[in-house]
Amino acid sequence: MGCLLDALTRGYDVLGLGAAADGDEVFRDLVLARIIEPASKLDSLRVLDEAGVAAASYRTVQRRLPRYATEAFRQQLSAACAAHARLGPASLVLYDVSTLYFETDAGDGFREPGFSKERRLEPQITIGLLTAQDGFPLMVSAFEGNKAETKTMLPVIKAFMAAHRLPDVTVVADAGMISEANQKAIEAAGLSLILGMKIPDVPYQVEQWRRDHPDQEIPDGHVFTQPWPAGPSSSRRDQVIYYQYRADRARRTLRGIDEQVAKAAKAVAGLAPVKRNRFIRLDGAAKSINRELEAKARTLAGLKGYVTNLAACPDGTPVTADFVIGSYHELWRIEKSFRMSKHDLQARPIYHHLRDSIEAHLTIVFAALAVSRWIEHQTGWSIRRFVKTARRYRTIQIQAGTHTITAADPLPPDLRAALDEIHGRSAAH
């Protein structure tokens, strides 16, 4: 397993995590073990032993965990990741949240029942992840499980900017993360933003286009631009809203509307129970289909809004619809980081109960995610494929008298090429 350990250690060092952790070998070993085989802290020692690492004792690991939960330690790791990402004042950062649940019945003020995308009732915590434009992690923060998602963004971003002395960053986030009050708070903090937005009513530009082009479908990919200047007494910047129409999005939305209206019709006819369906109108005991809402939903099908207050792109060029919409669509990268942390690195801290232990666990997962993303960037492989492939090949040292003989399994060409990329040997070959 020597080639795997060498590769992961190389990533850890290139990212500057070793220096950020003040050379803490226990932390490094826990990060590498998390990537090789996610397990409890106790079982991580078994993983390290199988990998040929002389790991610290479990008691030593327990003594070190409180340090990994401190804000100072986590900020040092975050600073190393920010330096690697080469963030500047105009850099784009992506923000999203997820939840981690616990197998317990009682909340404790931190682990609390709240809104769960997995529809779970157990206590949970809310995780806010800030990444660079390519999904590389920059900062992770934990909040109470019943804290609203919209109230997590600003504290995370302000803390990140203050720690790294950034006068401004451009925040890219989904519509579900932004309430009207939250958007005003972001603007009041002086941040630049690119946000997805919900469209409550048909925009004037769309209505005008349809009046001018009767009996025509909006062209696929067409963008409507609506300047939204700030008023004389407003503290916000001038904004621009882009409304983009996609035929594919319209087709999916219309299919969903058809299914919901069909279910509403069955419920109105008494053939199915009344469940949550926005197209059912209830007036006392009377039920009917809300045809006005249906018509409005069909009119909006295929449209999505994007709002920005950027005066210029990061490179100084004028802001365009393609830049704004393209930047928003990079959010899939942070979703990938969440999937990696939850599945490949098994972030859910089912073995932890105290807040310090949970925070320390998330610090280890954060560092493991950074190394994993670096490995993927260097090799083009998924971290799961790389670990599974490299783990099979071991280096064995045999002591014969005063001589040490090293024997290694021959590496296949694709793995050797991936390792060359990691170690920077590709140019030499």
Side-chain angles (χ1 to χ4, degrees):
M1 210 184 294
C3 64
L4 175 59
L5 275 175
D6 289 346
L8 297 181
T9 303
R10 164 76 173 171
Y12 184 86
D13 291 337
V14 166
L15 295 177
L17 299 179
D22 299 322
D24 191 324
E25 294 183 359
V26 174
F27 180 75
R28 180 202 62 196
D29 291 346
L30 290 174
V31 170
L32 301 189
R34 173 65 44 179
I35 300 172
I36 296 170
E37 183 183 327
S40 67
K41 301 299 177 292
L42 179 60
D43 206 27
S44 293
L45 305 183
R46 186 263 309 165
V47 175
L48 292 168
D49 183 62
E50 291 179 357
V53 176
S57 67
Y58 183 57
R59 186 176 293 276
T60 299
V61 170
Q62 288 180 308
R63 283 200 304 267
R64 295 291 182 88
L65 285 179
R67 179 178 180 238
Y68 308 152
T70 62
E71 189 65 23
F73 187 85
R74 300 173 71 176
Q75 285 291 359
Q76 289 175 197
L77 298 180
S78 179
C81 290
H84 176 76
R86 297 180 180 176
L87 288 189
S91 297
L92 271 70
V93 295
L94 313 179
Y95 183 78
D96 203 357
V97 301
S98 188
T99 56
L100 298 176
Y101 72 91
F102 294 79
E103 294 174 350
T104 182
D105 296 327
D108 57 11
F110 181 50
R111 300 176 299 167
E112 290 290 339
F115 174 74
S116 170
K117 296 176 182 177
E118 299 172 349
R119 298 184 178 181
R120 291 187 171 273
L121 302 177
E122 298 96 334
Q124 63 182 20
I125 60 173
T126 300
I127 304 298
L129 179 63
L130 190 70
T131 75
Q133 189 175 4
D134 59 357
F136 184 77
L138 299 173
M139 188 175 186
V140 66
S141 298
F143 299 91
E144 296 80 2
N146 55 4
K147 193 177 186 73
E149 293 181 354
T150 55
K151 294 183 179 180
T152 64
M153 179 191 296
L154 196 55
V156 170
I157 295 171
K158 289 178 73 173
F160 182 80
M161 291 174 61
H164 306 297
R165 297 183 177 87
L166 295 174
D168 187 19
V169 293
T170 301
V171 185
V172 185
D174 191 29
M177 289 298 310
I178 305 298
S179 63
E180 183 177 354
N182 204 27
Q183 183 171 333
K184 289 180 179 178
I186 293 172
E187 291 250 51
L191 299 177
S192 302
L193 53 84
I194 294 175
L195 307 174
M197 62 174 292
K198 298 174 182 177
I199 308 178
D201 298 295
V202 180
Y204 170 80
Q205 288 83 351
V206 177
E207 288 185 333
Q208 183 66 43
W209 189 94
R210 283 174 170 156
R211 284 194 295 267
D212 295 341
H213 303 82
D215 303 322
Q216 290 186 34
E217 291 291 331
I218 301 176
D220 185 28
H222 188 78
V223 176
F224 301 91
T225 303
Q226 177 183 346
W228 196 264
S233 60
S234 177
S235 59
R236 69 171 177 86
R237 306 184 206 169
D238 291 343
Q239 297 179 356
V240 178
I241 304 174
Y242 299 101
Y243 301 103
Q244 184 190 50
Y245 176 84
R246 296 298 264 172
D248 210 38
R249 185 190 298 130
R251 184 167 55 253
R252 294 194 304 270
T253 302
L254 291 172
R255 183 169 63 246
I257 293 172
D258 290 339
E259 292 174 356
Q260 286 184 298
V261 170
K263 291 179 181 179
K266 286 185 178 181
V268 169
L271 301 176
V274 177
K275 296 183 178 179
R276 294 182 61 182
N277 189 312
R278 59 177 175 152
F279 297 116
I280 296 179
R281 176 188 287 140
L282 296 176
D283 186 8
K287 303 185 292 274
S288 61
I289 299 175
N290 192 334
R291 295 298 181 183
E292 294 83 2
L293 183 59
E294 178 192 353
K296 179 181 175 181
R298 292 187 184 278
T299 304
L300 289 172
L303 291 169
K304 184 170 180 61
Y306 310 85
V307 61
T308 184
N309 63 356
L310 279 174
C313 294
D315 60 1
T317 59
V319 176
T320 63
D322 287 343
F323 172 79
V324 172
I325 296 172
S327 298
Y328 177 84
H329 286 170
E330 293 298 303
L331 282 173
W332 69 269
R333 297 184 183 276
I334 193 171
E335 293 169 0
K336 178 183 177 183
S337 290
F338 265 128
R339 286 196 302 273
M340 286 175 63
S341 63
K342 279 192 167 185
H343 300 292
D344 295 335
L345 304 176
Q346 296 184 19
R348 188 169 71 87
I350 56 176
Y351 307 105
H352 299 281
H353 308 286
L354 301 178
R355 180 161 189 165
D356 279 355
S357 297
I358 295 169
E359 297 270 17
H361 172 79
L362 292 175
T363 304
I364 293 167
V365 172
F366 171 79
L369 177 61
V371 175
S372 298
R373 291 304 301 248
W374 185 84
I375 292 287
E376 291 193 340
H377 178 267
Q378 293 298 112
T379 65
W381 292 22
S382 71
I383 189 62
R384 179 177 296 182
R385 177 191 172 193
F386 179 77
V387 171
K388 184 178 179 180
T389 303
R391 195 174 184 179
R392 295 197 294 261
Y393 298 92
R394 299 176 178 270
T395 300
I396 302 171
Q397 289 186 334
I398 303 171
Q399 191 71 33
T402 58
H403 299 284
T404 300
I405 303 172
T406 302
D409 295 326
L411 302 178
D414 58 344
L415 178 58
R416 184 174 294 280
L419 292 172
D420 285 344
E421 293 292 341
I422 289 171
H423 293 285
R425 297 192 295 253
S426 57
H429 287 274

